[in-house]
Amino acid sequence: MIRMLSNATGTIFGNPNCWCLEPPADRVLPSSQRQIQLEIVGEERQGYYLVISPQGFFTADAAYATLQQAKAAAQGLFGLDEQDWQLISSKH
């Protein structure tokens, strides 16, 4: 099981109970800049989760088949590079 952490700042649209990273095209939502904790957790056999936790908002996650796909998603969403991740644990 791999566990990696990183942090970012980003714009969150919505409120603590209903948020998104992109503004919806069909309505206007409030937006705010938030500190966001990111975590990648998983293993090769079962895949990896990118866990997104904006400060003061609920946590959301997305599943990926590979660690590289999870990191690529974080890079696309928040501009995180390889050196931005801290390896917390790596148990086989």
Side-chain angles (χ1 to χ4, degrees), residues 3-71:
R3 182 171 179 236
M4 305 178 85
L5 294 177
S6 189
N7 291 293
T9 302
T11 302
I12 303 297
F13 297 89
N15 62 58
N17 296 315
C18 180
W19 63 267
C20 53
L21 296 172
E22 297 288 330
D26 60 342
R27 63 185 180 144
V28 176
L29 293 176
S31 65
S32 60
Q33 285 291 114
R34 297 285 171 162
Q35 291 292 335
I36 302 168
Q37 181 180 20
L38 298 153
E39 179 179 13
I40 294 176
V41 61
E43 60 185 356
E44 189 174 328
R45 289 178 297 153
Q46 303 222 357
Y48 297 85
Y49 288 92
L50 174 61
V51 182
I52 304 169
S53 302
Q55 184 179 16
F57 286 57
F58 75 88
T59 295
D61 63 16
Y64 297 92
T66 68
L67 178 59
Q68 286 311 109
Q69 288 173 337
K71 287 181 180 179

